[in-house]
């Protein structure tokens, strides 16, 4: 029975759509924003597979350079700095404050578990007005292995002195759900627009389209 | 000094554009073809990171289901089979036969090194009319670790009884180049349209826009 809820942050709680204006300014269109975040993840994953750790901020900067090169656009260091800095001030999705508040009022422990580096993660949640709902903000950077590697999920279990099966990840990313389940945790999938589960491997026991609905399911399943 | 040239196959030698008609038939547009292949890679990489191997054919099928779900399209098993089967009959990029033929005439050993499973890889190269130019066709599936994990590159070195530094990967994918360099091999990057290098980590010593130009560079650098 999960006792700890570990929330993914980027896209799950916070809306990357807030970057669209910056992408429009840089590239004349917001369309490269999705490929940019996919490239961020790919660089992170390649770092994990090749044993050459790439922190999430470095991946964001590098991916922006790659997308710019692909678009035939030259970006200054200042433009890259300014765009990546926007990650610290993403707004929460509209369903987040109420649903998180409700879960924080249960006897479950809430933790943010993110690939963002620690100071970015703290700023992100503070700016989104939800920092105080979390007992801890944990960055995968602390173990120098980004999700979906097992270490970040196991670090949550260790921090709360519980078994991995007592931790439930909540995420809008199939790769994050896969990682949590392979680490022995539970998972709940948040079907944000465009987010789909992988049919490969173990599946989460809870799935919903909004964090409001997912909170209902979690309360029914995990609260005694 | 490289003595073995290990060629990536999909996108580097063979043109995935040949799938566009099938994507148009399934989704009304070829646009999801790029996101599909990116999803194939992500599923493969997540398999590597979580220690739950996903073979490349399984990843292709699963990614097609995910793209279909994202597009709100329902695909039959037959449609998935037929689309994935097209991977075996991709045409070579126009620069491939002549450039490969030229390199095969040097004293360098040519090997195909692909994430495709073995029988698919053999069919791919036979159908493209270039199978006989390779001394070996090696699938990462044989070591159950897909590129960019080090094992497939090291398997090439082992197969030819050379040091990793005697193997040069040729690929149109930054993640493949990163993997080869981290495994201690050399790399040459083929800048196919849309392909860009990652600025993170070690860089290849040879880069060109066509395999013809890359073959020139390889001959000058690697042939005594």
């Amino acid at each position: 029975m999960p006792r700890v809820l570990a929330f993914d942050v980027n896209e799950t709680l916070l809306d990357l759509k807030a970057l669209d204006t910056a992408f429009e300014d840089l590239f004349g269109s917001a369309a490269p924003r999705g490929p940019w975040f996919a490239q961020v993840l790919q660089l992170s994953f390649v770092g994990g597979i090749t044993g050459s750790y790439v922190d999430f901020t470095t991946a964001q900067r590098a991916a922006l350079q790659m997308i710019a090169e692909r678009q035939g656009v030259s970006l200054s260091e200042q433009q890259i700095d300014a765009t990546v800095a926007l990650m610290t001030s993403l707004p929460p999705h509209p369903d987040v404050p109420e649903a998180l508040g409700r879960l924080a009022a249960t006897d479950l422990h809430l933790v943010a578990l993110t690939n963002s580096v620690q100071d970015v993660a703290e700023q992100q949640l503070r700016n989104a007005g939800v920092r105080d709902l979390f007992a801890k903000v944990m960055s995968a950077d602390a173990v120098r292995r980004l999700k979906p590697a097992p270490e970040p999920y196991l670090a949550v279990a260790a921090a709360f002195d519980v078994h991995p099966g007592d931790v439930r990840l909540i995420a809008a990313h199939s790769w994050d759900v896969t990682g949590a389940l392979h680490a022995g945790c539970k998972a709940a999938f948040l079907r944000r627009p465009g987010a789909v589960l992988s049919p490969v491997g173990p599946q989460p026991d809870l799935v919903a389209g909004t964090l409001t609905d997912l909170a209902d399911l979690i309360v029914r399943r995990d609260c005694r």
Side-chain angles (χ1 to χ4, degrees), chain A residues 27 68 80 104 149 189:
Chain A
F27 303 116
I80 293 173
F189 182 61

Side-chain angles (χ1 to χ4, degrees), chain A residues 186-208:
Chain A
K186 304 281 192 299
F189 182 61
L190 179 53
R191 208 190 295 276
R192 293 274 182 222
V196 295
L197 277 169
S198 163
V200 178
Q203 300 295 313
D205 59 332
L206 301 180
V207 177

Side-chain angles (χ1 to χ4, degrees), chain A residues 37-215:
Chain A
F37 197 64
Q39 185 65 64
V40 171
L41 294 175
Q42 186 178 92
L43 290 170
S44 303
F45 293 178
V46 169
I49 294 169
T50 60
S52 53
Y53 177 67
V54 178
D55 75 70
F56 214 51
T57 301
T58 299
Q60 287 163 28
R61 298 179 59 90
L64 199 53
Q65 286 178 255
M66 293 172 77
I67 295 293
E69 188 182 339
R70 203 173 286 151
Q71 300 281 325
V73 170
S74 176
L75 298 183
S76 67
E77 286 295 307
Q78 286 74 12
Q79 285 174 306
I80 293 173
D81 288 345
T83 308
V84 168
L86 293 174
M87 288 294 285
T88 59
S89 56
L90 301 174
H93 286 286
D95 54 1
V96 166
E98 186 276 337
L100 271 189
R102 199 169 142 219
L103 290 168
T106 68
D107 60 357
L108 300 168
H109 301 286
L110 270 57
V111 53
L113 177 67
T114 178
N115 280 344
S116 295
V117 300
Q118 188 73 34
D119 66 327
V120 168
E122 293 278 1
Q123 285 182 67
Q124 288 183 303
L125 296 169
R126 218 164 38 234
N127 282 332
V130 295
R131 171 62 186 88
D132 293 346
L133 299 173
F134 294 100
K136 276 182 194 297
V137 175
M138 297 181 69
S139 168
D141 186 63
V143 291
R144 294 180 66 81
R145 288 279 287 165
L146 297 184
K147 298 184 289 180
E151 290 85 349
Y153 310 102
L154 299 179
V156 172
F160 287 87
D161 196 23
V162 298
H163 295 290
D166 291 325
V167 174
R168 179 187 292 285
L169 174 83
I170 294 96
H173 300 118
S174 67
W175 50 268
D176 208 350
V177 165
T178 300
L181 294 173
H182 275 292
C185 300
K186 304 281 192 299
F189 182 61
L190 179 53
R191 208 190 295 276
R192 293 274 182 222
V196 295
L197 277 169
S198 163
V200 178
Q203 300 295 313
D205 59 332
L206 301 180
V207 177
T210 66
L211 195 58
T212 310
D213 289 345
L214 205 51

